[in-house]
Amino acid sequence: MAAGCNDYSKTELSESLSENLIIFRNIFKKDAILRTKNISANGREYAVLYMDGMVNVAMLNDSVVRPLVMVDIIPSAENLAESVSKQILFASEVKKTNRIDDALRAILYGDTLLLIDGSRELLIINTKGWRTRGISEPENERILQGPREGFDEAALLNIAMIRRKLLTPDFCVEIERIGRRTDTIVFICYLDSLVDAKILKELKRRLSKIDIDGILDTNYIAEQIRDNRYSLFKTTGSTERPDIAAAALLEGRIALVVDGTPVVMTLPYLFSQNFQSDEDYYINFFVASVGRFLRYICFFLSISVPSVFISLITFHKELLPTTFAVSIAELRGGVPFSSVGECLMLIFIFEILRETGVRMSQSVGHALSIVGGLVIGQAAVEAKIVSAPILIVVAFSGISGLMVPRLKGAVFYLRVLSLIASALFGLYGYIAFMTILFIHIFSLSSFSVDYTVSLNYIKPQSLKDTLFRAAWFVMKKRPLFNKNLTRMGEHKNK
């Protein structure tokens, strides 16, 4: 069992069925959903133990209860558990054990325990059958063209969805358990011929160091194993789509599937992936390249537009055309706040409206965002609380930031920090801030892989899936961190 819980590793089973039942009933004495069924058949006493709501009752009856009652075979007394498993039960997967901790772990995960009078071993029978949401398209990763499947909270189902797309024995799945109390199952998925052994070893090392009560979502793990923990840029990816997870494995990455959440973690994660859309690979590469290039531009516009505008109207008015400068001065007449104060206030109001729209129900949230933006913006300008130019600048910056949803958190902080630097030192502050930002981005890494590895080497092949999306027939190489770079054909590419 997980560390932090009672240790039953030294508790031994006896040959007495009644004594074994007392052990389990004492362990689960405050658990109301434990179910026990006693069966007398073939001159033996049996007991079936399972957790209500976690097993497939029909499977339990057909593969365990009915065979015990109806099969007229007297099991061998020498190896009782194995004899029952091979000669009587119809279940597809049966394991025997004499360890209490293994039995507890199995029953808590939806398996059924079969205790046999006269045997120091019990049987663990796979009868998992908990309910799931079913397969549906993820709300946050909707696309116009491509697969409509989404992960579920059941990890085994998620593994099956990935395996259905990768019909190869090269697909490997390893199991780790994390969490002193939750004992959460974490599946490490990768393609053996593509994954870098050093990255895989480093991942296992970091996972082994996690010491926490429970793991309820992938982010519990991501925050503890990621590089540069305090950076605004994430260095581990996440997805709720099986096709995206499979594509990551085909590029030599590793996927972590955590039981209890539909979010799958992928690593290593590079800076260029922040600007990739799930739909880029399902539409024409010319159209996808335009969208991707716009995302890069919008990322920098979202950070830069408010700060550059404040720099110009505060410190560098001589750089503005005279008519434009006069127009801005007239429109700001009567506004009680400074330009920087206006800008910061509008940035926070925009974030409040955006968060409100996300947190509320979809129909109400969209209506509130639109009506709130129009009404508040128009009323604020007419009441001379803010000026129209500042409102336009902040709105344009906010809309640009929506083009890169994977960086929405980073964009907000960078926009504010850039604005403060520009408000203090003008364009010199903005240039210094952007310089520091670029140095920080190029200094990051993800599991020993350079965060900007695809941009560090200016070669046609390395740029075919970064600033733009090349056609599939020319993307013959995988990312540079792969053990096997050849994706298509055997030709050498420049």
Side-chain angles (χ1 to χ4, degrees):
M1 289 296 290
C5 301
N6 293 329
D7 186 8
Y8 298 103
S9 59
K10 296 181 180 179
T11 305
E12 296 182 355
L13 293 172
S14 71
E15 293 186 356
S16 171
L17 177 62
S18 59
E19 291 180 7
N20 293 337
L21 282 174
I22 290 173
I23 294 174
F24 284 99
R25 284 170 178 163
N26 286 335
I27 293 172
F28 295 107
K29 60 185 175 182
K30 294 185 179 180
D31 195 329
I33 68 169
L34 176 67
R35 298 291 179 262
T36 304
K37 182 177 179 62
N38 294 305
I39 300 173
S40 296
N42 302 320
R44 289 283 177 182
E45 295 292 328
Y46 304 89
V48 176
L49 280 69
Y50 63 94
M51 290 295 177
D52 197 7
M54 299 188 69
V55 303
N56 185 326
V57 177
M59 182 189 300
L60 173 62
N61 290 331
D62 291 340
S63 61
V64 181
V65 177
R66 186 170 301 184
L68 286 174
V69 175
M70 299 187 67
V71 174
D72 189 17
I73 296 177
I74 299 177
S76 172
E78 294 182 1
N79 201 338
L80 193 54
E82 185 174 356
S83 179
V84 171
S85 170
K86 293 183 177 180
Q87 297 178 359
I88 298 178
L89 298 183
F90 293 166
S92 60
E93 182 182 351
V94 182
K95 299 177 183 177
K96 63 178 182 177
T97 183
N98 58 1
R99 295 173 58 90
I100 294 289
D101 51 349
D102 289 343
L104 294 179
R105 180 173 284 168
I107 193 174
L108 291 172
Y109 197 54
D111 290 331
T112 296
L113 304 183
L114 178 62
L115 279 63
I116 309 170
D117 189 32
S119 174
R120 290 183 177 273
E121 295 178 318
L122 58 79
L123 297 178
I124 299 174
I125 306 163
N126 183 5
T127 55
K128 300 179 185 69
W130 53 76
R131 292 184 178 180
T132 60
R133 283 187 298 119
I135 299 174
S136 60
E137 186 174 11
E139 290 289 335
N140 296 329
E141 297 183 71
R142 289 186 175 274
I143 59 176
L144 297 177
Q145 185 173 328
R148 295 290 191 270
E149 293 179 320
F151 285 127
D152 196 86
E153 281 74 15
L156 291 176
L157 175 60
N158 296 341
I159 295 291
M161 295 173 71
I162 298 175
R163 188 180 292 278
R164 190 160 58 88
K165 296 182 180 297
L166 300 172
L167 303 178
T168 169
D170 195 35
F171 178 57
C172 301
V173 181
E174 299 184 25
I175 293 180
E176 296 283 345
R177 289 182 178 268
I178 305 176
R180 293 193 300 267
R181 299 192 183 277
T182 60
D183 202 31
T184 305
I185 296 179
V186 178
F187 295 94
I188 305 173
C189 306
Y190 57 91
L191 292 179
D192 193 43
S193 62
L194 301 181
V195 71
D196 188 323
K198 293 181 180 178
I199 297 176
L200 182 61
K201 182 178 179 181
E202 176 64 15
L203 170 62
K204 292 179 180 179
R205 185 189 69 82
R206 296 186 190 185
L207 289 176
S208 66
K209 289 189 174 183
I210 296 178
D211 183 17
I212 189 173
D213 265 1
I215 299 293
L216 301 179
D217 184 74
T218 308
N219 192 56
Y220 282 58
I221 298 175
E223 290 188 2
Q224 299 188 70
I225 68 171
R226 57 172 291 195
D227 301 65
N228 309 97
R229 295 181 179 182
Y230 298 103
S231 174
L232 293 175
F233 297 91
K234 61 180 185 178
T235 53
T236 58
S238 61
T239 182
E240 294 184 41
R241 300 180 60 90
D243 55 320
I244 301 302
L249 297 182
L250 287 170
E251 289 188 336
R253 292 183 168 86
I254 303 170
L256 283 185
V257 182
V258 179
D259 192 36
T261 175
V263 181
V264 170
M265 185 197 310
T266 60
L267 54 95
Y269 187 80
L270 306 182
F271 180 68
S272 59
Q273 290 181 258
N274 291 311
F275 305 94
Q276 295 174 357
S277 170
D278 299 340
E279 200 173 26
D280 283 353
Y281 305 94
Y282 302 136
I283 59 177
N284 183 273
F285 63 94
F286 286 118
V287 179
S289 297
V290 171
R292 185 173 297 183
F293 191 67
L294 285 176
R295 290 181 210 115
Y296 278 94
I297 294 176
C298 286
F299 170 67
F300 292 104
L301 286 178
S302 181
I303 298 171
S304 304
V305 169
S307 53
V308 170
F309 183 78
I310 292 298
S311 298
L312 292 175
I313 66 174
T314 305
F315 292 95
H316 310 284
K317 296 179 182 178
E318 67 278 3
L319 297 179
L320 295 172
T322 304
T323 53
F324 184 52
V326 171
S327 176
I328 292 175
E330 290 178 351
L331 291 170
R332 291 207 72 251
V335 176
F337 303 105
S338 66
S339 299
V340 178
E342 284 183 76
C343 204
L344 285 173
M345 180 174 61
L346 286 174
I347 287 174
F348 280 101
I349 290 174
F350 182 87
E351 287 299 313
I352 290 171
L353 288 173
R354 187 183 65 81
E355 281 295 315
T356 304
V358 171
R359 304 303 168 194
M360 296 189 68
S361 63
Q362 190 171 4
S363 56
V364 177
H366 290 173
L368 180 65
S369 298
I370 296 171
V371 174
L374 292 174
V375 172
I376 293 176
Q378 184 65 28
V381 171
E382 291 181 356
K384 295 292 183 178
I385 298 175
V386 296
S387 61
I390 297 290
L391 179 63
I392 293 170
V393 166
V394 172
F396 178 74
S397 172
I399 293 172
S400 298
L402 296 178
M403 283 283 288
V404 280
R406 293 172 180 169
L407 289 172
K408 63 180 181 180
V411 163
F412 171 73
Y413 286 106
L414 293 175
R415 186 188 298 148
V416 172
L417 293 174
S418 175
L419 179 62
I420 293 173
S422 298
L424 293 175
F425 305 105
L427 287 177
Y428 300 106
Y430 167 75
I431 294 171
F433 174 81
M434 294 303 292
T435 302
I436 295 172
L437 175 60
F438 278 112
I439 292 174
H440 174 68
I441 292 174
F442 279 87
S443 68
L444 294 176
S445 63
S446 177
F447 286 82
S448 303
V449 177
D450 288 342
Y451 198 46
T452 54
V453 65
S454 55
L455 301 173
N456 290 346
Y457 305 97
I458 308 300
K459 295 181 180 180
Q461 187 61 46
S462 65
L463 295 176
K464 287 179 181 178
D465 197 23
T466 51
L467 298 177
F468 60 93
R469 203 278 277 181
W472 275 115
F473 54 81
V474 298
M475 284 199 296
K476 298 183 178 181
K477 297 289 183 181
R478 295 186 180 90
L480 297 176
F481 58 83
N482 270 266
K483 181 169 68 175
N484 181 356
L485 291 179
T486 303
R487 187 204 307 264
M488 182 188 307
E490 299 295 333
H491 301 289
K492 293 183 178 180
N493 296 280
K494 296 182 180 180

